[in-house]
């Protein structure tokens, strides 16, 4: 099992939180759910972050059966559908977006 994760590190602009989360739920989540090979999509809104770590606004995880399935999803035109939505989110957000691919060990 492989998981591709997106981490939004930074801060949502003051007063724009509801708009940010509405876009994630209504526009971005449907794209993530239709990624080719996606088995499960999870979203996390961190509630407490250890002192000294950067602020996480959103952590997204998508599970895939194999590394090849992750690579296929990354090349997919479906992924490109999410790009303008992410660009819209970034106008409400100061920070960076990072991606990590994990292999499940246990």
């Amino acid at each position: 099992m492989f998981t591709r994760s997106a981490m939004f590190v930074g801060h949502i602009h003051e007063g724009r939180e509801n708009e940010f989360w509405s876009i994630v739920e209504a526009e971005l989540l449907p794209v993530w759910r239709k990624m080719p090979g996606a088995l499960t999509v999870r979203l996390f809104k961190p509630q407490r972050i250890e002192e000294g770590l950067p602020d996480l606004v959103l952590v997204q995880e998508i599970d895939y059966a194999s590394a090849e399935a992750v690579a296929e999803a990354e090349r997919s035109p479906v992924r490109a559908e999410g790009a303008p939505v992410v660009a819209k989110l970034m106008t409400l957000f100061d920070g960076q977006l990072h991606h990590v691919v994990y292999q499940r060990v246990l």
Side-chain angles (χ1 to χ4, degrees):
M1 176 79 61
F2 287 77
T3 300
R4 185 171 193 271
S5 181
M7 294 168 278
F8 289 76
V9 180
H11 302 278
I12 301 170
H13 297 168
E14 179 119 8
R16 309 296 294 272
E17 295 86 0
N18 289 340
E19 185 178 358
F20 180 93
W21 290 106
S22 291
I23 291 169
V24 168
E25 186 175 341
E27 299 181 44
L28 204 47
L29 185 57
V31 173
W32 288 334
R33 285 185 171 148
K34 69 179 188 176
M35 291 295 288
L39 301 173
T40 306
V41 177
R42 290 178 300 279
L43 301 179
F44 300 94
K45 184 178 183 181
Q47 299 298 297
R48 182 178 48 184
I49 298 172
E50 188 176 307
E51 188 174 327
L53 293 178
D55 289 335
L56 284 171
V57 171
L58 166 64
V59 176
Q60 167 256 49
E61 296 179 349
I62 303 177
D63 292 336
Y64 297 91
S66 66
E68 293 78 16
V70 173
E72 180 182 337
E74 289 172 333
R75 292 188 303 267
S76 167
V78 175
R79 182 174 180 218
E81 292 176 28
V85 182
V86 170
K88 187 189 316 186
L89 277 184
M90 297 308 277
T91 68
L92 307 174
F93 178 77
D94 290 322
Q96 300 174 328
L97 174 58
H98 301 281
H99 295 91
V100 177
V101 175
Y102 304 94
Q103 180 180 13
R104 186 173 176 175
V105 176
L106 297 174

